[in-house]
Structures are given as structure tokens and as C-alpha cells.
Amino acid sequence: MSWYRNTVWFVKGLREYTRSGYESASKHFNPADVEVNVTGRSFLVTGANSGIGKATATEIARRGGTVHLVCRNKERAEVAKGEIVTETGNQNIFLHIVDISNPREIWKFAEQFKNEHKLNVLINNAGCMVNNRELTQDGLEKNFATNTLGTYILTTALLPLLEKEADARVITVSSGGMLVQKLNVSDLQSENGTFDGTMVYAQNKRQQVVLTEQWAKAHRNIHFSVMHPGWADTPAVRSAMPDFYQKMKNSLRTEGQGADTVVWLAISAEATKLPSGLFFQDRQPVPTHLPLASTHSPPEDEEKLMEMLEEFSQKFKSTSPG
């Protein structure tokens, strides 16, 4: 069945996730959806120094938004900030150096951010695909720590800030790769069996879809969404999937095309007319499971994921400095 899922996903990807898929879908976009002025609204974008995160931050800055860039590497982040300010003329760009794989650091940042800023829109874009099993300084498997636990902690820590604002939104950048994975709560840190970085990443991305659905049920006055950017030509794809990149490089989307739906979800009035908790691709909600694929989870597994992440989260909160 995994062979079937992988094959269907790849064929679907060749048709929909490449640049030609975007060009076809974009014929039906309404340009007015994103021709909005967001001056006075505050956006936080993780992983914002390159790729889809930087493209998203740039488009929001161009429309007047206050943008908080959350990045791990100070030097690269400062360069990116300078480029965004120069390109958009928007001076309201702020930089925060945070490692999203470090839960204590996230808690410390979030507590400080809540005291100093307002927040209308959180964009969880930071992610990683490490192809060999690697542990963080806290003993966490690095993909899980970044993609799942980091996303969970940052979002839950900032929910009280979002709850204060009108039209608050949370957008998480996932991947169509999650379609080949069924939620597995028995091995969150990939300790069993052969480690396959691509499949671990896909499992994390399935977890992000479940998180979004669960948050949407629990927090009715915030609009949650999760999306697939398509297959885009980003530094992360080049470094983490070199073979895929070499085969597909002439067909990949631009960073801007990959970011288009993130921007649409973050700023358009149309996005929030749709229910909270949906999975999007090219400005449209799409199914979270392939036809005939046995990737559906029982509700108790989804609840268990939330419980386990909350336990992890509190463990690191209680020992966080400051």
C-alpha cells in the first residue's frame, strides 16, 4: 500500500505541484484577493531568511505589514532583512534569532515577544529535513524537534496574543508529502526501523495537518490553515533533496509561486470565508488523504498526539530560563 501511495502522490505531483501546475491553477486566481493594504497588522514568519519564508515576508512587507522575521542564523537573517527593507521600502521589519529545534529557546522568545508586541498572523514556515537520524542538545530527533514540536510550542505559546486580535490567523507550511503517511503516534522520534529522512519529514508534515485540525476545533476565534506550496526551487530543497532537485529543477516552482498561497491565506478576506482547519493548495482547500489510501487515523490517535506534544512542551517550559 505504501508503494501505491507513493506512486499516486508522485504522479499527482508531476501534474499539480510543478510550475506548470501553478500556472494552470493561477488562471483562476482573483488578483484583487491579495491587492490589500495590511498596514497596522503584525505578522510573524519563521524560517524567513530564504525560500518560501523570505518570499512570504517580502510580499507582506510590500503591502505595509509589520513583519517579524524569526530565523536561526544571525548573519543570513540580517542580509535577508536588509534585502526586504530595500526591496519594499518598509522599515517595520524586525529580526528575532531563535532556533525552532530548541524548545527552551522558543518558550523564552515567546514570553518576551508577548510582552513587547502584538500579533495578528503567525506563519509557521521553518522546517528541516535531516536525512540521517540526528539528536538536538535536548536529545530530540531533529526533524521532529523542528517541524512538529517547535511548531506546536511556538503556536500554543503565542495563542494568548493572537486571541486578543481581530481576524487572527495561523498558517502552517506543510507538504504534499504528508499524503503518503498515516499519523504514527507510537514512534514520534523515529527510533524504530530504518531511518528515512524523507518519510520522517512526511510524517512530521502529516502531524502538522492534524495539529491544524485540532487547533481549529479548540480555538474558534482564530482562523487556522495548513498548506502545500508545491515543489519549489528553494535552498532547502537543493540541500536536503539533491537527487530530486537534479531531476526536477527545470519544472520546479519559483519561491514566489510557492509562497503565493501562504500570502493569500495570511492577508486575503476570501481565505477566512472558508472554514478553519483546512489544507490548501493553490488557494483552494484540497483533501488530506489520497483516494483509497489507508492514511486516516482514529480520533484517539489525534488526541494522543496533542497530549504527547503538550507533555513535551511543558517539560521544556518548566526548565526554561527567565
Side-chain angles (χ1 to χ4, degrees):
M1 186 55 80
S2 62
W3 172 87
Y4 164 80
R5 288 200 300 264
N6 290 351
T7 303
V8 171
W9 171 73
F10 191 73
V11 171
K12 179 181 172 71
L14 287 173
R15 189 174 67 245
E16 298 179 19
Y17 301 163
T18 54
R19 190 184 309 153
S20 62
Y22 174 84
E23 288 165 353
S24 175
S26 66
K27 290 173 185 171
H28 306 286
F29 293 172
N30 181 358
D33 285 0
V34 292
E35 288 171 2
V36 295
N37 187 322
V38 290
T39 301
R41 283 176 67 78
S42 175
F43 300 77
L44 189 155
V45 186
T46 66
N49 67 290
S50 68
I52 288 166
K54 185 185 175 193
T56 298
T58 302
E59 290 306 315
I60 292 168
R62 210 188 297 285
R63 291 160 175 79
T66 295
V67 186
H68 295 273
L69 314 175
V70 172
C71 307
R72 188 182 67 221
N73 183 290
K74 190 170 190 290
E75 292 73 25
R76 289 204 295 265
E78 285 175 342
V79 170
K81 176 187 171 181
E83 289 172 349
I84 293 170
V85 170
T86 301
E87 189 175 332
T88 66
N90 186 337
Q91 299 293 324
N92 292 318
I93 313 297
F94 301 92
L95 186 55
H96 310 272
I97 305 304
V98 186
D99 183 348
I100 298 295
S101 74
N102 185 324
R104 291 185 181 87
E105 218 174 281
I106 300 170
W107 272 120
K108 188 177 178 182
F109 160 71
E111 292 307 312
Q112 187 174 342
F113 189 89
K114 281 191 285 191
N115 291 331
E116 298 174 359
H117 304 282
K118 73 166 197 168
L119 184 62
N120 299 94
V121 181
L122 169 62
I123 299 169
N124 292 308
N125 166 72
C128 75
M129 186 194 294
V130 177
N131 288 309
N132 296 302
R133 193 169 188 276
E134 184 181 319
L135 301 183
T136 68
Q137 64 190 46
D138 296 302
L140 299 167
E141 191 277 314
K142 193 162 188 181
N143 294 294
F144 166 77
T146 306
N147 302 326
T148 303
L149 184 60
T151 297
Y152 177 86
I153 293 177
L154 184 63
T155 304
T156 51
L158 293 176
L159 282 174
L161 202 55
L162 289 159
E163 297 269 10
K164 294 177 183 177
E165 302 297 330
D167 190 17
R169 310 183 189 193
V170 176
I171 299 112
T172 300
V173 179
S174 181
S175 166
M178 69 89 195
L179 291 166
V180 305
Q181 286 285 312
K182 178 180 179 178
L183 178 66
N184 177 11
V185 292
S186 66
D187 189 23
L188 288 184
Q189 299 202 61
S190 310
E191 295 170 283
N192 304 325
T194 305
F195 186 91
D196 180 334
T198 305
M199 288 300 107
V200 170
Y201 178 82
Q203 173 65 210
N204 296 161
K205 295 299 170 177
R206 168 63 69 186
Q207 291 160 2
Q208 290 178 341
V209 169
V210 173
L211 286 179
T212 300
E213 292 168 347
Q214 295 296 312
W215 283 327
K217 289 177 192 171
H219 304 278
R220 301 286 185 176
N221 56 336
I222 299 173
H223 191 271
F224 292 87
S225 54
V226 59
M227 59 79 67
H228 174 40
W231 293 342
D233 185 349
T234 66
V237 167
R238 281 173 240 151
S239 62
M241 304 174 71
D243 293 344
F244 173 81
Y245 175 73
Q246 284 304 318
K247 283 180 196 160
M248 299 296 298
K249 61 184 178 183
N250 295 325
S251 304
L252 297 178
R253 298 179 176 203
T254 66
E255 293 169 346
Q257 290 170 342
D260 177 80
T261 296
V262 189
V263 175
W264 182 82
L265 288 166
I267 69 173
S268 79
E270 294 304 306
T272 52
K273 291 178 183 175
L274 292 159
S276 182
L278 298 180
F279 180 66
F280 286 83
Q281 176 190 316
D282 292 333
R283 304 192 189 182
Q284 290 290 327
V286 292
T288 56
H289 300 277
L290 291 167
L292 307 179
S294 53
T295 51
H296 293 267
S297 309
E300 53 266 31
D301 280 7
E302 298 181 354
E303 289 160 16
K304 179 73 172 171
L305 174 68
M306 302 305 282
E307 288 167 12
M308 293 172 80
L309 292 176
E310 184 60 19
E311 282 175 27
F312 271 117
S313 168
Q314 292 302 319
K315 173 182 162 188
F316 290 107
K317 183 182 185 181
S318 62
T319 56
S320 66

